[in-house]
Amino acid sequence: MTSPAAPATAPPPPLRGLLEPVRGPLALAVGLQAVAALAGVVPFIAVSRIANRLTAGSRAGGDGLWPLVTLACAAGLLALVCGTAAGAVGHLADNDLQLTLRRRLARHVGRLPLGWITTKGSGEVKQAVQDDVRALHTLVAHTLLDVVAVLTAPVLALVYLFTVDWRLALISVLPLALGVFLFSRAMSGAAAQMAEFGAALGRISSAAVEFAGGIAVLKTFGRGRKAHERFLNATEGFADFFSRWVRATVVTSTAAVLVVSPAVVLLLLSVVGAVFVTNGLITGAQFVPFLLLGPAVAAPMGVVGPRIQQIRAGQAAAVRISALLDTAVLPESTTPAVPDGHDVSLRGVSFSYDDGRTDALSGIDLDLPPGTVTALVGPSGSGKSTLASLLLRFHDVTTGTVTVGGVDVRDVPAAELYRRVGFVLQDVRLLRASVADNIRLGRPEATDDEVERCARAARIHDRVTALPDGYATEVGTGVTLSGGEAQRLSIARALLADAPVLVLDEATAYADPNSEALIQDALSALASNRTLLVIAHRLATIRTADRIVALDGGRITEQGRHDDLLAADGLYARLWEAQQEALPVPSDGVPRQNTARPVAGGTRDDIREGSSR
């Protein structure tokens, strides 16, 4: 007989889970802050006791007062030491937490699928690594200790006031109770209002980005006023919403702050205390501690608003950080293997971005023999980039296998895979580092001569030597490369990495004629003696490829050489005809054939000729 399964343990809240590594130091900091807050109240109690002795006609003289003076001084010194120590321990814990979290995030992001990073962009990673970790700094190093202080000191003060006179102590609690009531009224429906607040700010940001980024195009077509109006409408909508929110809460929120302010509390206690003294209910000495400690009883309500906002911001940051850390990473093989050769094969490959609900690719069978050029063509959304990304293991296949040198790419260690499979994409990313270090990215140990040789082959050497510090010039700091120059720099990087298999997303799609010619020459050098998988946008550049694969709806519809596919009169022939019809007609009215040179898509002789051009 089996015992009943134990109930599943709910995971801890994100914030608690992230703070677990520094729970010990944080507990110590909280304890020290509590001691500091309690010790800070003792001098006021000692002063009230001194006042009581001085007004009670005691003849103890200095001998009876000095112990109280000593107690006050010692407590003040203890509060100073413990408060300083609490702040130091809290900041050290925060430093450890930031270092731990950023290291965890860096390790985790490094194991995420490159396709996830491409899809999400750097914004989400930057938000977690920089902004959200900074929000936790405010919570851990400041807010937590402030909350302990504003809650601990009033408790001791109130306990002591009740020992002096319970009636006046109850009066001192009234502002706190009224402040809690008014503050709760002011915060009624705050969750929905905060959601609308964030949505309104999002609309302003969206309109501002559209206005700034698209103003040139809009003005060109005489639509500049439209973007301006949308931005104004967003800001005016936010102003209207915020004004309504403020009008609905300004009276209660202002009243909540006023009733707990030290001046109002002191005025209330002064009036009531004076009545108590004149009617003989308490003595003047008994009245002193209420004047000293009474305002501290209601003090927490004066700072509760900002602290709640900081706590909520910290909790929201913890949720985002935890969500990033919970993102599934690419699994690592327990039996890693090294490819034997450079042949590439896809068998029965299907892939879905949404866990199988919709296939982006289905039933793909494709071979890339070593030293051949295979071009992927098809309409937008047909799956060209998705198929190429599987070879690079930007994603893992849903079903089927992708192999390099007879080994499933899922079993090849990442470093080994990218030594064998390189890529040059349209969207070039350069690091904020020297030009030489950007080229060396695939081979950090490469010599200066090797870097320069690859830069010459990529037709970027002359531009680099014209920079202020040549190859030592830092990219992005006062020096900006054009799109074509950045592309040639990435080609030099791929040349130096010298991967035998190369995925090429047509690099000349948006280049000007001069840059296109230089990039074409660089690509011809890069293609020599390599296995190429080319994502083709302009069909004239791949008409001499060894194999052209036409994709539509995530499936291979046909494959073969250029002439054979034209004769088949299928998808490729229709795409070719559409591009030919789109060519401009010269002034003499005679249509011209597309004379674009192949992008690494010719025969081996074509490639050698381009390389030596």
Side-chain angles (χ1 to χ4, degrees):
M1 180 176 180
T2 59
S3 58
T9 303
L15 183 58
R16 185 188 303 174
L18 293 181
L19 297 183
E20 183 64 27
V22 294
R23 184 174 62 175
L26 280 183
L28 176 60
V30 167
L32 289 171
Q33 186 64 39
V35 172
L38 294 174
V41 177
V42 172
F44 295 97
I45 297 176
V47 169
S48 65
R49 300 302 300 168
I50 291 172
N52 183 60
R53 294 197 178 190
L54 290 176
T55 58
S58 173
R59 298 184 178 276
D63 293 339
L65 300 179
W66 278 114
L68 292 173
V69 173
T70 302
L71 175 63
C73 293
L77 181 61
L78 178 63
L80 177 63
V81 172
C82 288
T84 303
V89 172
H91 277 82
L92 289 174
D94 170 64
N95 286 340
D96 290 342
L97 178 65
Q98 290 192 52
L99 180 61
T100 300
L101 284 180
R102 288 191 168 117
R103 282 178 172 172
R104 283 183 63 190
L105 287 167
R107 285 195 299 267
H108 189 78
V109 170
R111 297 175 58 206
L112 289 175
L114 291 177
W116 182 93
I117 298 175
T118 303
T119 302
K120 297 290 185 179
S122 59
E124 189 166 329
V125 176
K126 181 260 183 188
Q127 170 80 11
V129 175
Q130 183 171 322
D131 301 338
D132 291 337
V133 173
R134 185 187 301 124
L136 289 184
H137 157 75
T138 301
L139 177 65
V140 171
H142 301 282
T143 304
L144 184 61
L145 300 184
D146 291 345
V147 170
V148 171
V150 299
L151 293 180
T152 305
V155 171
L156 178 59
L158 188 59
V159 169
Y160 176 72
L161 293 180
F162 267 102
T163 65
V164 176
D165 185 84
W166 65 270
R167 295 161 299 186
L168 198 53
L170 286 177
I171 297 297
S172 67
V173 174
L174 288 179
L176 176 62
L178 184 58
V180 170
F181 172 75
L182 292 173
F183 186 77
S184 63
R185 289 287 302 273
M187 294 298 292
S188 177
Q193 297 287 7
M194 286 299 294
E196 175 59 23
F197 180 84
L201 286 180
R203 287 191 289 270
I204 290 178
S205 298
S206 176
V209 169
E210 179 184 352
F211 179 63
I215 188 62
V217 174
L218 289 166
K219 280 189 172 183
T220 300
F221 292 95
R223 306 287 287 176
R225 182 175 179 80
K226 179 180 179 180
H228 185 248
E229 287 176 351
R230 185 183 174 198
F231 177 72
L232 288 180
N233 290 337
T235 54
E236 289 172 358
F238 174 80
D240 291 341
F241 154 74
F242 195 71
S243 296
R244 291 194 304 271
W245 189 12
V246 169
R247 282 196 298 269
T249 60
V250 65
V251 175
T252 51
S253 60
T254 302
V257 173
L258 286 177
V259 297
V260 298
S261 64
V264 171
V265 175
L266 192 59
L267 177 62
L268 173 65
L269 292 176
S270 297
V271 173
V272 178
V275 173
F276 276 33
V277 172
T278 55
N279 286 278
L281 298 176
I282 60 174
T283 65
Q286 290 176 309
F287 184 32
V288 171
F290 289 94
L291 296 177
L292 293 175
L293 297 174
V297 173
M301 285 305 302
V303 296
V304 68
R307 298 304 180 272
I308 288 177
Q309 292 299 325
Q310 290 167 358
I311 291 172
R312 285 179 175 172
Q315 290 173 331
V319 169
R320 289 189 293 268
I321 292 173
S322 297
L324 180 56
L325 290 173
D326 290 340
T327 302
V329 300
L330 278 177
E332 296 181 0
S333 175
T334 56
T335 56
V338 177
D340 182 16
H342 308 136
D343 54 303
V344 177
S345 177
L346 293 86
R347 287 289 177 269
V349 168
S350 296
F351 175 75
S352 172
Y353 287 102
D354 52 9
D355 299 325
R357 291 189 294 273
T358 305
D359 283 338
L361 292 173
S362 180
I364 301 296
D365 291 303
L366 183 64
D367 292 313
L368 280 64
T372 62
V373 177
T374 301
L376 302 179
V377 303
S380 296
S382 59
K384 302 185 297 296
S385 297
T386 301
L387 192 155
S389 71
L390 298 181
L391 175 57
L392 297 167
R393 211 190 172 196
F394 282 15
H395 305 280
D396 274 344
V397 297
T398 304
T399 59
T401 59
V402 179
T403 61
V404 175
V407 178
D408 194 315
V409 294
R410 291 170 291 191
D411 294 329
V412 181
E416 181 65 28
L417 177 64
Y418 294 121
R419 274 196 293 268
R420 294 174 178 269
V421 182
F423 53 91
V424 176
L425 306 179
Q426 285 185 22
D427 186 13
V428 178
R429 300 296 176 92
L430 299 179
L431 303 180
R432 186 177 289 271
S434 70
V435 172
D437 287 341
N438 269 281
I439 296 176
R440 281 195 184 98
L441 192 59
R443 278 183 57 203
E445 75 282 0
T447 65
D448 291 342
D449 289 341
E450 290 174 320
V451 169
E452 182 177 332
R453 184 166 61 251
C454 291
R456 287 181 181 276
R459 310 302 192 267
I460 191 63
H461 171 74
D462 292 342
R463 176 68 178 99
V464 173
T465 55
L467 295 175
D469 298 315
Y471 284 89
T473 302
E474 184 171 328
V475 177
T477 55
V479 174
T480 303
L481 299 178
S482 69
E485 291 165 350
Q487 190 63 263
R488 281 179 276 149
L489 196 65
S490 73
I491 294 171
R493 177 192 296 166
L495 278 168
L496 187 61
D498 199 25
V501 180
L502 185 66
V503 175
L504 175 64
D505 192 351
E506 187 174 329
T508 63
Y510 307 114
D512 60 79
N514 182 58
S515 293
E516 177 177 356
L518 292 171
I519 293 173
Q520 295 273 18
D521 290 342
L523 289 173
S524 295
L526 179 61
S528 181
N529 300 320
R530 288 182 172 83
T531 303
L532 260 67
L533 179 63
V534 180
I535 303 172
H537 302 277
R538 292 188 295 173
L539 304 186
T541 63
I542 49 89
R543 62 185 183 274
T544 56
D546 298 302
R547 178 186 297 175
I548 299 172
V549 178
L551 291 168
D552 191 18
R555 294 178 176 274
I556 296 177
T557 60
E558 56 184 353
Q559 54 183 305
R561 295 186 68 88
H562 172 77
D563 293 336
D564 297 333
L565 293 177
L566 288 182
D569 197 26
L571 173 62
Y572 179 79
R574 293 194 298 273
L575 293 173
W576 175 266
E577 182 179 355
Q579 290 195 6
Q580 292 299 308
E581 291 176 352
L583 291 174
V585 178
S587 58
D588 58 9
V590 179
R592 299 285 193 262
Q593 288 292 324
N594 194 328
T595 57
R597 300 205 309 276
V599 178
T603 63
R604 299 301 100 190
D605 293 336
D606 294 332
I607 291 171
R608 291 191 194 97
E609 181 182 348
S611 177
S612 61
R613 186 179 293 111

